[in-house]
Amino acid sequence: MFYGIINICWIPFAGFVSFLVLLSAINKSVGVRKAYVNILLRIFEYGRVSIESASKVNQAIAKDKINVDQTPGVEQVDGSNAKESNEATNGSVLITRDVVLLPEAQESAHDKTNGTKKEEICFDFENCLDYVKSGVEAIIEDDVTSRFEAEELKSWNMLTRTNRHYEFISWKITMIWVIGFAIRYTILMPLRVLVCFIGVVFAVVANAFVALIPFRFLRLSLADLSFKITFRLISSSLSSLVIFHNKQYKPTTSGFCVANHTTPLDVAILSTDCTFSLIGQRHGGFLGVLQRALARASPHIWFERGEAKDRHLVAERLKQHVSDPNNPPILIFPEGTCINNTSVMQFKKGSFEVGGVIYPVAIKYDPRFGDAFWNSSKYSMMQYLYMMMTSWAIVCDVWYLPPMYRQEGESAIDFANRVKGVIAKQGGLVDLVWDGQLKRMKPKKEWREIQQIEFANRLKSD
């Protein structure tokens, strides 16, 4: 009887797996994920309206209570507070977040006002106030650390990961939250783990088979198909809905595909539509299994940690790869770390020094369905995957941008900044000059010395 039950269960399971692989191979969808996302949007909108209505009712009740209980002395205090609040609201912005001061412009204004000589130094206390103000603003909220925190939502997305008890506003919201919790943890999560497992097993088996094919043309074609199916299965395991724009600019020849970086899932998202050669450090565990499976049939570049620090070795490997026109484009994330998808931070110049065509790609995630940002300083890879498996979905837009080339006389840094600006503009992201490695390290000594020199120059006048 036991074997009979296994045989009965095996048939629908095999059919389910075959159906998934077939859809991934032909890159088609039956529309379930799109309908699922549309239903979620309606639920979120209902929750937003309910929360705002409940908030207005609570404010009205609190206001009535204050009007009944307040005394003349309290009225004066409240009126003063209201006046201060109006001044703060209607007046200038309290936090401007001007972390980078502009001593040159301020120096010119100072020179015109005083008309003194450049060599003289005036140690007026007021010269320090702008720096003090900038420092206080940076302590409250600076442009760097805020990029490594979850993006703030305008409305609650019915997930448990919130510090506000929105689920207890009304019994209807409570029921929606309870039902959603049950669906995510008892239906979606086990199903997603199963599909992800199928994707990894497919990668191991398919690439091992492809590696045995002696004919290069056939091997490359099957490796291309195997690569896409693998990441389409992994992408499906997260209920991802990806919308690609400007497909006429999709990378087609050997070169570098450069994108902003939010999550390790960026690789899976982009690889559902295009085949890439991946570059990165060798890993163990889940990522290590996937890396070794992909490397059997495709030309990927994996480094040991010590080798990755050797810039000349990395550059030589990249040049060798792009010199072969049969190799797929290399997918690179020049920021070097994950940013919370609100901005683009400094691009490392390494991939822009090698030469060849650059294919810019902008990725923008919709945070309403789940926070795709991986804070590697806070969560391990398994914790992050658990969070993704229990989120509603991964919804994002991907824009292919026209290929770019390094201009004559243009430095690698200027070229990197030009590409970064194009990606930021298309994705609606903030273009920042800061190095993303400030997430893990302190500012360089040279940066502090430059600010000190600029401050000294600011004290000088004509």
Side-chain angles (χ1 to χ4, degrees), residues 29 31 75 84 125 129 176 182 195 199-200 207 291 405 437 445:
S29 173
E75 286 181 4
E84 291 177 1
F125 178 75
L129 295 182
I176 293 175
V195 175
V200 175
N207 284 283
Q291 282 182 333
Y405 299 86
Q437 294 304 322
K445 181 181 179 182

Side-chain angles (χ1 to χ4, degrees), residues 248-259 322 329 334 347 351-362 399-408 410-426 431:
Q248 68 272 22
Y249 300 128
K250 185 168 70 171
T252 54
T253 60
S254 181
F256 296 95
C257 180
V258 174
V322 298
F347 277 10
S351 56
F352 300 91
E353 291 177 320
V354 176
V357 59
I358 297 290
Y359 299 98
V361 174
W399 289 272
Y400 295 118
L401 301 172
M404 301 177 67
Y405 299 86
R406 185 173 175 180
Q407 298 174 354
E408 186 177 355
E410 185 178 32
S411 67
I413 295 176
D414 291 337
F415 185 29
N417 289 333
R418 185 160 61 91
V419 174
K420 178 166 69 80
V422 169
I423 292 175
K425 182 178 180 180
Q426 179 62 74
D431 189 355

Side-chain angles (χ1 to χ4, degrees), residues 16 20 190-200 232-238:
F16 174 71
L20 282 178
L191 187 61
R192 288 169 174 173
V193 172
L194 174 62
V195 175
C196 184
F197 177 75
I198 293 171
V200 175
R232 286 169 186 168
L233 288 172
I234 294 176
S235 178
S236 298
S237 70
L238 300 171

Side-chain angles (χ1 to χ4, degrees), residues 56-327:
K56 290 179 180 178
V57 171
N58 291 335
Q59 289 178 1
I61 294 174
K63 185 176 180 180
D64 293 340
K65 186 176 180 181
I66 291 175
N67 291 335
V68 172
D69 296 339
Q70 70 182 178
T71 61
V74 176
E75 286 181 4
Q76 186 176 359
V77 173
D78 289 342
S80 175
N81 289 338
K83 182 178 179 181
E84 291 177 1
S85 177
N86 291 333
E87 289 177 354
T89 304
N90 299 326
S92 60
V93 180
L94 295 180
I95 302 177
T96 59
R97 303 188 183 95
D98 289 332
V99 181
V100 182
L101 298 176
L102 302 176
E104 292 83 2
Q106 295 174 0
E107 179 184 331
S108 299
H110 188 271
D111 294 344
K112 291 180 181 179
T113 304
N114 296 307
T116 54
K117 292 184 179 181
K118 189 85 172 176
E119 291 74 13
E120 296 180 0
I121 302 223
C122 301
F123 294 96
D124 294 331
F125 178 75
E126 62 181 15
N127 291 325
C128 302
L129 295 182
D130 287 337
Y131 284 87
V132 172
K133 177 175 177 288
S134 178
V136 172
E137 291 170 351
I139 292 172
I140 296 173
E141 183 178 3
D142 64 273
D143 279 338
V144 177
T145 54
S146 61
R147 309 301 171 179
F148 303 115
E149 299 174 355
E151 182 178 355
E152 185 177 351
L153 296 178
K154 295 181 180 179
S155 60
W156 186 43
N157 60 356
M158 303 291 176
L159 290 176
T160 56
R161 291 184 288 274
T162 175
N163 57 359
R164 296 177 181 267
H165 300 290
Y166 286 129
E167 62 269 28
F168 303 117
I169 283 183
S170 69
W171 69 269
K172 292 182 180 179
I173 294 293
T174 302
M175 287 302 299
I176 293 175
W177 178 81
V178 170
I179 294 172
F181 181 90
I183 291 174
R184 287 188 293 109
Y185 283 89
T186 62
I187 299 177
L188 292 180
M189 182 180 174
L191 187 61
R192 288 169 174 173
V193 172
L194 174 62
V195 175
C196 184
F197 177 75
I198 293 171
V200 175
V201 171
F202 176 87
V204 173
V205 175
N207 284 283
F209 172 76
V210 170
L212 298 176
I213 299 176
F215 307 104
R216 183 178 181 182
F217 176 79
L218 181 60
R219 185 173 68 250
L220 292 177
S221 299
L222 292 178
D224 176 82
L225 182 61
S226 173
F227 182 88
K228 290 179 180 177
I229 293 176
T230 296
F231 286 106
R232 286 169 186 168
L233 288 172
I234 294 176
S235 178
S236 298
S237 70
L238 300 171
S239 304
S240 61
L241 180 62
V242 188
I243 303 173
F244 291 94
H245 307 272
N246 307 330
K247 284 199 171 187
Q248 68 272 22
Y249 300 128
K250 185 168 70 171
T252 54
T253 60
S254 181
F256 296 95
C257 180
V258 174
N260 57 300
H261 198 25
T262 305
T263 163
L265 299 176
D266 292 335
V267 175
I269 295 297
L270 295 177
S271 299
T272 59
D273 189 54
C274 187
T275 300
F276 297 103
S277 289
L278 306 179
I279 180 172
Q281 292 183 3
R282 295 184 187 274
H283 290 275
F286 171 77
L287 286 179
V289 172
L290 198 57
Q291 282 182 333
R292 290 189 292 272
L294 294 173
R296 290 190 180 98
S298 305
H300 303 286
I301 304 174
W302 308 125
F303 292 98
E304 298 294 344
R305 185 171 296 274
E307 296 176 344
K309 295 180 180 179
D310 189 341
R311 290 182 55 190
H312 298 289
L313 177 61
V314 174
E316 186 61 31
R317 293 278 296 274
L318 293 177
K319 288 179 181 178
Q320 292 177 359
H321 184 95
V322 298
S323 63
D324 187 349
N326 294 318
N327 286 335

